[in-house]
Amino acid sequence: MNNTRFATALHILCLLSKNTTDWVSSDWIAGSINVNPVVVRKELGVLQDKGWIVSRKGKEGGSRLQVRGNEIRLGDVYQAIRNTDILGKKNLKTNPKCPVGKEINNRLDSLYLETDRIVFASLNEQTLQNFVDRF
Protein backbone atom coordinates (compact mmCIF):
# COMPACT_ATOMS: atom_id res chain seq x y z
CA MET A 1 0.00 0.00 0.00
CA ASN A 2 2.98 2.32 0.41
CA ASN A 3 3.82 2.00 -3.26
CA THR A 4 4.64 5.26 -5.07
CA ARG A 5 4.64 3.85 -8.60
CA PHE A 6 1.33 5.45 -9.62
CA ALA A 7 2.39 8.85 -8.28
CA THR A 8 5.77 8.54 -10.02
CA ALA A 9 4.30 7.49 -13.38
CA LEU A 10 1.70 10.24 -13.24
CA HIS A 11 4.36 12.83 -12.30
CA ILE A 12 6.45 11.73 -15.29
CA LEU A 13 3.47 11.94 -17.65
CA CYS A 14 2.54 15.39 -16.34
CA LEU A 15 6.06 16.70 -16.90
CA LEU A 16 6.17 15.30 -20.41
CA SER A 17 2.72 16.68 -21.12
CA LYS A 18 3.91 20.16 -20.18
CA ASN A 19 7.09 19.81 -22.29
CA THR A 20 5.69 18.44 -25.54
CA THR A 21 8.44 19.64 -27.89
CA ASP A 22 11.53 19.01 -25.76
CA TRP A 23 13.35 15.77 -25.03
CA VAL A 24 13.23 15.57 -21.23
CA SER A 25 16.06 13.68 -19.51
CA SER A 26 15.46 11.11 -16.81
CA ASP A 27 17.85 13.08 -14.60
CA TRP A 28 15.71 16.20 -14.94
CA ILE A 29 12.52 14.22 -14.25
CA ALA A 30 14.17 12.58 -11.23
CA GLY A 31 15.08 16.02 -9.89
CA SER A 32 11.45 17.10 -10.09
CA ILE A 33 10.24 13.97 -8.29
CA ASN A 34 13.26 13.93 -5.96
CA VAL A 35 14.05 10.27 -6.64
CA ASN A 36 16.93 8.34 -8.14
CA PRO A 37 16.99 8.46 -11.98
CA VAL A 38 16.94 4.64 -12.01
CA VAL A 39 13.39 4.77 -10.58
CA VAL A 40 12.39 7.16 -13.35
CA ARG A 41 13.98 5.03 -16.08
CA LYS A 42 12.10 1.96 -14.82
CA GLU A 43 8.76 3.75 -15.10
CA LEU A 44 9.72 5.32 -18.44
CA GLY A 45 10.19 1.78 -19.75
CA VAL A 46 6.67 0.84 -18.66
CA LEU A 47 5.20 4.00 -20.19
CA GLN A 48 7.11 3.39 -23.42
CA ASP A 49 5.85 -0.20 -23.58
CA LYS A 50 2.30 1.20 -23.42
CA GLY A 51 3.10 3.41 -26.41
CA TRP A 52 2.50 6.63 -24.50
CA ILE A 53 6.04 7.96 -24.66
CA VAL A 54 9.03 7.71 -26.94
CA SER A 55 12.61 7.83 -25.69
CA ARG A 56 15.98 8.24 -27.31
CA LYS A 57 19.42 7.62 -25.88
CA GLY A 58 22.50 9.74 -25.89
CA LYS A 59 23.64 13.16 -24.80
CA GLU A 60 20.73 14.85 -26.59
CA GLY A 61 18.34 12.09 -25.62
CA GLY A 62 15.39 11.99 -23.30
CA SER A 63 11.71 11.21 -23.44
CA ARG A 64 8.55 12.89 -24.61
CA LEU A 65 4.87 12.09 -25.02
CA GLN A 66 3.97 10.16 -28.14
CA VAL A 67 0.20 10.60 -27.72
CA ARG A 68 -1.99 13.48 -26.61
CA GLY A 69 -2.86 13.74 -22.93
CA ASN A 70 -6.55 13.23 -23.60
CA GLU A 71 -5.74 9.76 -25.01
CA ILE A 72 -4.37 8.49 -21.68
CA ARG A 73 -6.88 7.56 -18.99
CA LEU A 74 -5.64 7.57 -15.40
CA GLY A 75 -7.16 4.12 -14.96
CA ASP A 76 -4.89 2.84 -17.70
CA VAL A 77 -1.88 4.35 -15.91
CA TYR A 78 -2.99 2.59 -12.72
CA GLN A 79 -3.34 -0.72 -14.56
CA ALA A 80 0.06 -0.30 -16.23
CA ILE A 81 2.02 0.08 -13.00
CA ARG A 82 -0.16 -1.85 -10.58
CA ASN A 83 1.67 -4.67 -8.83
CA THR A 84 -0.44 -5.25 -5.72
CA ASP A 85 -4.04 -5.03 -4.63
CA ILE A 86 -4.92 -1.54 -3.50
CA LEU A 87 -5.71 -2.78 0.00
CA GLY A 88 -2.45 -4.70 0.27
CA LYS A 89 -1.61 -8.34 0.70
CA LYS A 90 -3.61 -10.97 2.52
CA ASN A 91 -2.36 -13.19 5.31
CA LEU A 92 -1.92 -16.48 3.49
CA LYS A 93 -1.30 -18.69 6.54
CA THR A 94 -4.40 -18.07 8.60
CA ASN A 95 -5.56 -20.73 11.04
CA PRO A 96 -7.88 -23.13 9.18
CA LYS A 97 -9.43 -24.21 12.50
CA CYS A 98 -10.59 -20.68 13.27
CA PRO A 99 -14.05 -19.76 11.90
CA VAL A 100 -12.68 -16.41 10.71
CA GLY A 101 -9.24 -17.70 9.70
CA LYS A 102 -10.62 -20.34 7.39
CA GLU A 103 -12.89 -17.91 5.49
CA ILE A 104 -11.23 -14.49 5.67
CA ASN A 105 -9.28 -14.76 2.42
CA ASN A 106 -12.39 -15.76 0.46
CA ARG A 107 -14.20 -12.72 1.84
CA LEU A 108 -11.19 -10.48 1.20
CA ASP A 109 -11.02 -11.63 -2.42
CA SER A 110 -14.43 -10.17 -3.16
CA LEU A 111 -13.70 -7.01 -1.14
CA TYR A 112 -10.42 -6.48 -3.01
CA LEU A 113 -12.04 -7.03 -6.40
CA GLU A 114 -14.83 -4.56 -5.63
CA THR A 115 -12.39 -1.95 -4.30
CA ASP A 116 -10.19 -2.26 -7.38
CA ARG A 117 -13.25 -1.97 -9.63
CA ILE A 118 -14.35 1.24 -7.88
CA VAL A 119 -10.87 2.80 -8.01
CA PHE A 120 -10.34 1.82 -11.64
CA ALA A 121 -13.76 3.19 -12.67
CA SER A 122 -13.10 6.47 -10.88
CA LEU A 123 -9.66 6.89 -12.42
CA ASN A 124 -10.99 6.06 -15.86
CA GLU A 125 -13.26 9.11 -15.67
CA GLN A 126 -10.16 11.30 -15.91
CA THR A 127 -7.55 11.72 -18.61
CA LEU A 128 -3.99 12.87 -18.22
CA GLN A 129 -5.02 16.14 -19.85
CA ASN A 130 -7.82 16.69 -17.29
CA PHE A 131 -5.29 16.16 -14.53
CA VAL A 132 -2.58 18.36 -16.06
CA ASP A 133 -5.06 21.18 -16.63
CA ARG A 134 -5.32 21.55 -12.84
CA PHE A 135 -1.74 22.86 -12.63
Side-chain angles (χ1 to χ4, degrees), residues 2-133:
N2 294 326
N3 185 327
T4 61
R5 289 191 68 201
F6 179 76
T8 300
L10 193 52
H11 195 138
I12 291 167
L13 289 168
C14 287
L15 290 171
L16 297 179
S17 182
K18 288 192 163 284
N19 295 287
T20 57
T21 59
D22 297 325
W23 291 97
V24 183
S25 75
S26 57
D27 288 337
W28 189 85
I29 295 169
S32 176
I33 303 172
N34 203 21
V35 297
N36 189 301
V38 171
V39 172
V40 170
R41 285 191 283 275
K42 177 182 176 188
E43 298 307 340
L44 285 170
V46 171
L47 300 173
Q48 186 169 349
D49 289 346
K50 294 297 291 180
W52 296 332
I53 69 163
V54 61
S55 297
R56 69 179 189 190
K57 298 180 187 220
K59 186 176 179 181
E60 301 297 318
S63 300
R64 63 183 180 196
L65 273 185
Q66 185 165 282
V67 299
R68 295 186 337 231
N70 62 1
E71 296 178 43
I72 301 173
R73 297 218 163 269
L74 298 190
D76 294 332
V77 176
Y78 170 72
Q79 289 288 80
I81 57 85
R82 180 177 171 226
N83 62 1
T84 62
D85 289 316
I86 197 160
L87 296 176
K89 295 181 181 181
K90 297 177 277 195
N91 296 314
L92 298 179
K93 296 183 179 181
T94 57
N95 184 346
K97 294 179 182 176
C98 171
V100 172
K102 71 180 178 183
E103 287 296 319
I104 187 102
N105 284 327
N106 292 331
R107 302 299 175 251
L108 287 173
D109 283 342
S110 61
L111 177 64
Y112 283 24
L113 285 171
E114 180 63 12
T115 302
D116 273 349
R117 186 194 66 72
I118 292 167
V119 169
F120 183 69
S122 176
L123 289 172
N124 254 353
E125 292 176 6
Q126 297 181 66
T127 66
L128 173 62
Q129 191 61 53
N130 300 137
F131 190 75
V132 168
D133 287 346

